[in-house]
Amino acid sequence: MADRKPLISGNWKMNHNHFEAIQMVQKLAYALSQNDYDVVDVSVHPPFTDLRSIQTVLESDDIPIALGAQNCHWEAKGAFTGEVAPGMLAKMNVSVVIVGHSERRELFGESDDEVNRKVKAVLANGMTPIMCCGETLEEREADGAVTKVKLQVLAGLAGLKAEQVAGLVIAYEPIWAIGTGMTATPEDAQEMCSAIRGVVRSKWGAEAAHGVRIQYGGSVKGANAPDLMGQSDIDGALVGGASLDADEFARIIGYRLVG
Ligand code: PEP
């Protein structure tokens, strides 16, 4: 792997009220040590209603886990009932925001253009976007996976400067692997992550391609993390189900200690 520090992110989706979230993050912090934080960046992405509670725990106990959100709107304020502005997240010391998760795209109709606006808004508020992309099983079986993912990357990051791209995170998450227990083989995941880095190189140049961190997501667990994380273009993981179990998530973060 290059000199990029891996980022392992836990996407809790619509799970854990704020009491459960506090217990979860305390248990996770107990299972991790400075040896982990020295070599891996860790972020947790609880529901919006938990953010303030988790912020308080992380800051009062000096826990070096980054506070993350799962989504945001692109506007700074206004008549957008039910939405949360990026500036509101930044004010709570949220530093990483997942944008364009396939569940947002598939279940809530989020378009590439909206994803692009969100990426720009997250950056404008000093936070790091994790821009998600990935193909359906039908697209993969029809040999359309690489084309779909490349187009999502180009559209989602359209209009960004090379130095902005160098500092952000792209999560490659094959939709058929999310929450299904089916994982891409390390070789398939590496092939797509390498293709993503190739698109970044041709559009934004070598430095952006070298800097951008590419996570793999899709049924990552303690058992498969070492092989996935051992691939040269995989710089971390976006973890759903397994991040809800503090011990299992800690095993993923400690992937280098297994075997
Ligand atoms: C996700 O939701 O981003 C995800 C990868 O979920 P899971 O790990 O449960 O497949």
Side-chain angles (χ1 to χ4, degrees), residues 20 28 38 76 109 126 138 142 161 171 178 188 214 241:
E20 295 162 338
L28 179 63
D38 283 347
E138 295 71 42
K161 298 192 182 85
I178 295 180
D188 284 347
I214 305 177

Side-chain angles (χ1 to χ4, degrees), residues 8-254:
I8 298 189
S9 306
N11 174 13
W12 295 357
K13 310 193 184 188
M14 199 170 71
N15 294 290
H16 292 334
N17 63 39
H18 70 290
F19 291 117
E20 295 162 338
I22 289 171
Q23 284 178 348
M24 168 73 202
V25 86
Q26 283 173 331
K27 202 169 169 202
L28 179 63
Y30 188 73
L32 299 177
S33 72
Q34 193 54 47
N35 290 340
D36 296 301
Y37 303 123
D38 283 347
V39 292
V40 180
D41 288 334
V42 180
S43 64
V44 290
H45 301 251
F48 288 134
T49 50
D50 301 351
L51 284 171
R52 180 72 176 136
S53 307
I54 300 293
Q55 180 204 5
T56 307
V57 172
L58 294 178
E59 291 178 4
S60 58
D61 292 353
D62 243 336
I63 299 169
I65 293 176
L67 184 59
Q70 301 174 17
N71 183 30
C72 66
H73 199 272
W74 58 86
E75 293 289 351
K77 61 179 173 177
F80 302 101
T81 301
E83 293 291 335
V84 172
M88 297 170 180
L89 299 176
K91 198 75 184 165
M92 270 196 292
N93 290 344
V94 166
S95 58
V96 193
V97 184
I98 298 170
V99 175
H101 189 281
S102 63
E103 286 156 14
R104 301 286 328 157
R105 294 177 187 260
E106 303 267 310
L107 303 177
F108 301 97
E110 223 167 78
S111 67
D112 280 334
D113 177 58
E114 288 170 330
V115 170
N116 181 241
R117 289 172 192 229
K118 290 182 182 196
V119 166
K120 287 175 176 162
V122 168
L123 287 167
N125 282 276
M127 300 178 288
T128 301
I130 297 180
M131 205 282 289
C132 303
C133 55
E135 81 285 358
T136 64
L137 192 55
E138 295 71 42
E139 287 161 342
R140 174 157 284 264
E141 284 171 353
D143 274 342
V146 175
T147 307
K148 157 96 179 280
V149 168
K150 283 183 176 177
L151 288 174
Q152 281 183 323
V153 171
L154 289 171
L157 306 185
L160 298 191
K161 298 192 182 85
E163 56 270 29
Q164 291 178 307
V165 176
L168 57 72
V169 181
I170 298 172
Y172 166 56
E173 300 204 298
I175 295 170
W176 48 271
I178 295 180
T180 59
M182 285 162 63
T183 317
T185 64
E187 294 72 26
D188 284 347
Q190 161 60 23
E191 197 182 326
M192 186 65 87
C193 292
S194 161
I196 292 171
R197 203 176 300 285
V199 181
V200 170
R201 187 176 297 106
S202 31
K203 180 76 185 169
W204 289 279
E207 277 187 37
H210 183 74
V212 67
R213 289 189 286 184
I214 305 177
Q215 295 176 317
Y216 168 78
S219 299
V220 175
K221 299 191 170 37
N224 58 26
D227 284 347
L228 288 161
M229 295 292 299
Q231 304 300 312
S232 57
D233 284 297
I234 298 182
D235 311 311
L238 181 53
V239 185
S243 74
L244 295 173
D245 177 332
D247 291 330
E248 184 65 10
F249 192 43
R251 264 191 288 282
I252 294 171
I253 293 163

